[in-house]
């Protein structure tokens, strides 16, 4: 992964950046009921992991928003050219470990790679972020609950890794909806950038159902 330094003094959001850095809780989060009807049906018909499909789409959607690839590093801001995800993997004893994945490949290639990585981390579970942990998107799932709001734990002092979480899908008026929450540091990310993430997510989920996704 490569990164560049962003000179925030030259950015249009320089005042917002300075202001939100003064807050004890600088995070902004939005939960959206994402329509996953077609992807869910496609996963069921093809025997594809719905979790990995959503993870792949979410990671690619987040990478499509430059502001979500930015991190506060000391007194600087850096922007990565791409960011991996780190998601929770359930363990037999009821706990979990982390699994780091790249979504920079066709979905057909991502599936066996992701399954192999999940099996590997279960053999040596860890809660360490590994090398260059600041680049990660933190991803988790609460498949037991469908929700409308979510409070996520965050460190002190604040970090700038976006957090993507989703719950259990539910049916409403004939559609399948998935609650998904994006939490980000408001010093780097505004509502418009969160909206772009969800717009990208809709496109990525739709693309999963098309043959083009297996060859891009």
């Amino acid at each position: 992964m490569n990164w560049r330094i962003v000179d925030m003094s030259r950015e249009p959001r320089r005042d917002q950046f300075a202001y939100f850095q003064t807050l004890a809780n600088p995070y902004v989060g939005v939960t959206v009921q994402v329509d996953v009807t077609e992807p869910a049906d496609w996963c069921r018909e093809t025997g594809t992991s719905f979790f990995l499909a959503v993870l792949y789409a979410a990671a690619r959607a987040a990478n499509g928003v430059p502001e979500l690839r930015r991190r506060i590093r000391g007194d600087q801001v850096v922007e990565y050219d791409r960011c991996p995800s780190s998601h929770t993997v359930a363990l037999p004893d009821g706990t979990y470990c982390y699994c780091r994945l790249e979504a920079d490949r066709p979905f057909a290639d991502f599936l066996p790679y992701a399954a192999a990585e999940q099996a590997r981390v279960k053999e040596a579970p860890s809660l360490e972020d590994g090398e260059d942990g600041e680049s990660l998107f933190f991803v988790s799932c609460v498949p037991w609950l469908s929700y409308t709001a979510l409070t996520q734990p965050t460190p002190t002092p604040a970090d700038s890794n976006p957090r993507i979480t989703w719950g259990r899908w539910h049916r409403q008026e004939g559609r399948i909806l998935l609650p998904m929450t994006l939490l980000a540091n408001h010093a780097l990310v505004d509502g418009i950038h969160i909206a772009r993430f969800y717009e990208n997510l809709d496109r990525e989920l739709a693309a999963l159902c098309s043959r083009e996704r297996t060859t891009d």
Side-chain angles (χ1 to χ4, degrees):
M1 286 173 296
N2 298 315
W3 51 268
R4 69 179 183 93
I5 295 176
V6 179
D7 184 355
M8 293 304 294
S9 69
R10 297 177 178 273
E11 289 283 305
R13 293 189 67 262
R14 56 186 175 272
D15 293 339
Q16 289 85 352
F17 172 73
Y19 169 70
F20 283 109
Q21 282 200 294
T22 68
L23 302 186
N25 180 7
Y27 299 98
V28 58
V30 177
T31 297
V32 172
Q33 304 298 316
V34 179
D35 190 333
V36 295
T37 307
E38 284 74 23
D41 289 343
W42 179 79
C43 286
R44 184 178 63 254
E45 292 167 1
T46 59
T48 301
S49 167
F50 180 66
F51 172 83
L52 290 180
V54 174
L55 173 62
Y56 179 82
R60 291 173 71 94
N63 269 297
V65 182
E67 290 76 10
L68 293 176
R69 289 186 272 108
R70 292 183 176 183
R71 304 291 186 269
I72 299 171
R73 181 188 294 171
D75 59 357
Q76 293 182 327
V77 171
V78 299
E79 180 181 307
Y80 286 89
D81 60 347
R82 73 176 191 279
C83 294
S85 64
S86 176
H87 72 276
T88 52
V89 175
L91 298 174
D93 63 0
T95 62
Y96 58 86
C97 64
Y98 294 153
C99 180
R100 179 175 180 144
L101 294 176
E102 296 271 7
D104 60 345
R105 62 204 69 197
F107 187 54
D109 297 334
F110 176 80
L111 285 172
Y113 150 71
E117 283 299 297
Q118 290 187 139
R120 183 185 65 80
V121 299
K122 286 182 179 180
E123 294 298 318
S126 172
L127 294 179
E128 297 297 322
D129 292 329
E131 184 180 352
D132 207 10
E134 74 172 6
S135 68
L136 300 172
F137 296 128
F138 295 152
V139 178
S140 58
C141 178
V142 284
W144 315 275
L145 297 171
S146 183
Y147 63 84
T148 57
L150 178 72
T151 300
Q152 298 177 335
T154 53
T156 302
D159 65 8
S160 48
N161 296 74
R163 289 158 170 80
I164 305 169
T165 308
W166 60 91
R168 182 177 181 176
W169 60 262
H170 61 282
R171 294 186 183 273
Q172 182 176 316
E173 298 179 353
R175 306 298 291 177
I176 299 175
L177 303 182
L178 183 75
M180 181 174 288
T181 305
L182 172 62
L183 183 77
N185 191 310
H186 213 338
L188 299 175
V189 176
D190 288 327
I192 189 171
H193 309 122
I194 294 176
R196 287 171 182 162
F197 163 76
Y198 284 108
E199 291 169 357
N200 289 349
L201 180 64
D202 286 341
R203 285 192 290 269
E204 290 291 340
L205 288 169
L208 288 175
C209 307
S210 67
R211 291 183 179 180
E212 288 78 8
R213 173 56 71 207
T214 64
T215 57
D216 70 354

